[in-house]
């Protein structure tokens, strides 16, 4: 199963490399990996740390810089070739990545950045099992504080901890726990797009709870793969997320369904070695 996954991801990378000079819908890339677009994008990001769009942009600007430094091609032609509508938009993106303008890149003494093609390698890990359970849960209501975060350049890894610190310090987390039907506080990834999503620190409220000050959303009915994290936050749960996408998905007949992800945090010392929480991933059988 893992070798099959590896081959499919390599096929998708081959397709991207062959078509750096034309628009390539993510649906077409995902098809090469025999995957849904949503699942492919989540897998790609969790394995590489970059979105598909971010990887394609960096690769195209790398190839554009090489072309400008090694040929007499016009800047406008190179810009159009690699998907930019105007020389101005191309120059802005080029300078942001390389630190110089496209015309300055013709100077052989000017250093340029290069983002090489990535590759996937199979890592066999048989020393540590991944226990999980499958749970069917009907739709339910959640309330909480939300923030829209970008995934490019890992921006969400800064914004989400900031939201947790704010909610922990101003009493929001404690209030959500008191409203919760089971005492748990939830971390929820909603409205997931290629380069952004909405993150909520929330709770599933009791029917009689007064949650008027919070945003309200409905989590749709889903089949969930549930994993337990043991250890101090955030390192322990981050390791669980890594293993889900790098080990569990490639080894099973499941893929991400595209519905919200949940992190379930019970009361306790989140910094202790024995703190237990859960990751709920919505899944479908391939």
């Amino acid at each position: 199963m893992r070798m099959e996954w590896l081959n499919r991801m390599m096929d998708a990378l081959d397709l991207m490399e062959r078509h750096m000079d034309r628009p390539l819908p993510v649906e077409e890339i995902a098809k090469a990996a025999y995957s849904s677009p949503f699942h492919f994008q989540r897998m790609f990001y969790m394995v590489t740390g970059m979105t598909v769009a971010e990887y394609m942009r960096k690769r195209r600007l790398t190839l554009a810089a090489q072309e400008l430094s090694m040929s007499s091609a016009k800047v406008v032609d190179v810009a159009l070739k690699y998907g930019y509508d105007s020389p101005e938009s191309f120059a802005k993106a080029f300078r942001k990545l390389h630190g110089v303008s496209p015309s300055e890149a013709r100077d052989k003494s000017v250093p340029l950045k290069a983002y090489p093609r990535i590759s996937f390698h199979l890592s066999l890990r048989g020393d540590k099992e991944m226990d999980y359970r499958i749970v069917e849960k009907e739709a339910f209501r959640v309330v909480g504080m939300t923030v829209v975060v970008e995934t490019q350049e890992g921006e969400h890894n800064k914004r989400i901890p900031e939201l947790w610190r704010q909610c922990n310090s101003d009493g929001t987390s404690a209030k959500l726990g008191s409203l919760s039907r089971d005492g748990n506080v939830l971390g929820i990834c909603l409205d997931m797009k290629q380069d952004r999503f909405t993150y909520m620190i929330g709770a599933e409220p009791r029917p009689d709870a007064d949650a008027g000050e919070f945003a309200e959303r409905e989590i749709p009915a889903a089949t969930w793969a549930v994993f337990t994290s043991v250890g101090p936050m955030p390192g322990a749960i981050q390791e669980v997320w890594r293993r889900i996408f790098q080990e569990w998905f490639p080894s099973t007949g499941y893929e991400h369904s595209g519905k919200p992800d949940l992190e379930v945090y019970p009361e306790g010392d989140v910094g202790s070695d024995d703190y237990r929480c859960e990751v709920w991933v919505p899944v479908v059988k391939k």
Side-chain angles (χ1 to χ4, degrees):
M1 183 71 75
R2 289 190 184 184
M3 186 59 72
E4 181 182 3
W5 172 85
L6 179 67
N7 291 334
R8 289 175 176 178
M9 294 298 283
M10 294 302 292
D11 288 343
L13 279 175
D14 288 341
L15 179 67
M16 284 189 270
E17 287 296 320
R18 290 197 303 270
H19 298 292
M20 286 291 172
D21 58 352
R22 76 164 176 85
L24 188 62
V26 71
E27 291 80 6
E28 190 173 340
I29 303 172
K31 186 177 180 181
Y34 294 87
S35 173
S36 71
F38 185 90
H39 182 70
F40 178 80
Q41 290 178 91
R42 288 301 305 278
M43 287 291 293
F44 190 92
Y45 178 78
M46 294 299 289
V47 172
T48 69
M50 290 183 285
T51 64
V52 175
E54 188 177 1
Y55 173 71
M56 292 286 283
R57 177 179 59 82
K58 289 181 176 180
R59 285 292 295 140
R60 283 170 171 154
L61 289 171
T62 293
L63 296 174
Q66 293 172 357
E67 192 161 332
L68 287 168
S69 67
M70 299 174 63
S71 75
S72 58
K74 295 180 179 179
V75 171
V76 64
D77 293 335
V78 174
L80 293 173
K81 177 178 179 180
Y82 290 105
Y84 289 86
D85 296 331
S86 68
E88 291 76 21
S89 62
F90 174 65
K92 182 178 180 180
F94 193 94
R95 182 178 288 279
K96 183 176 181 181
L97 185 72
H98 294 289
V100 297
S101 69
S103 58
E104 289 174 316
R106 296 191 187 281
D107 185 342
K108 298 294 191 294
S109 65
V110 171
L112 299 169
K113 289 214 169 86
Y115 285 86
R117 169 183 168 153
I118 62 174
S119 61
F120 296 106
H121 299 281
L122 186 64
S123 177
L124 298 177
R125 300 190 175 203
D127 60 328
K128 190 175 180 182
E129 297 177 342
M130 284 201 77
D131 293 329
Y132 69 97
R133 67 185 191 275
I134 298 296
V135 175
E136 301 282 348
K137 186 173 174 65
E138 293 301 315
F140 61 99
R141 182 173 69 106
V142 293
V143 296
M145 298 286 291
T146 63
V147 62
V148 176
V149 294
E150 303 281 338
T151 57
Q152 291 203 29
E153 309 297 338
E155 188 253 0
H156 63 296
N157 289 327
K158 300 175 184 176
R159 295 288 306 282
I160 291 173
E162 288 173 359
L163 183 63
W164 275 106
R165 282 193 291 271
Q166 174 190 330
C167 290
N168 290 338
S169 64
D170 66 14
T172 300
S173 297
K175 185 164 189 177
L176 287 167
S178 68
L179 295 174
S180 172
R181 61 188 300 171
D182 51 17
N184 295 330
V185 177
L186 307 175
I188 311 170
C189 296
L190 301 151
D191 310 326
M192 289 180 279
K193 309 297 183 185
Q194 185 167 337
D195 58 358
R196 68 178 58 85
F197 63 92
T198 299
Y199 188 82
M200 172 185 276
I201 296 178
E204 183 180 358
R206 301 186 313 276
D208 62 341
D210 180 9
E213 67 184 281
F214 295 111
E216 180 176 332
R217 297 290 295 269
E218 181 175 276
I219 305 299
T223 299
W224 309 83
V226 181
F227 303 84
T228 300
S229 167
V230 181
M233 295 293 103
I237 204 166
Q238 290 173 348
E239 174 67 6
V240 171
W241 276 113
R242 184 195 66 76
R243 294 193 67 204
I244 289 169
F245 281 88
Q246 294 187 11
E247 299 177 37
W248 188 79
F249 271 126
S251 304
T252 67
Y254 290 100
E255 70 175 25
H256 200 293
S257 72
K259 295 177 182 179
D261 290 319
L262 306 177
E263 295 172 346
V264 180
Y265 295 103
E267 290 185 84
D269 179 5
V270 298
S272 71
D273 290 338
D274 59 356
Y275 179 72
R276 300 176 73 88
C277 58
E278 293 180 337
V279 173
W280 288 51
V281 182
V283 296
V284 293
K285 266 289 188 180
K286 293 182 182 179

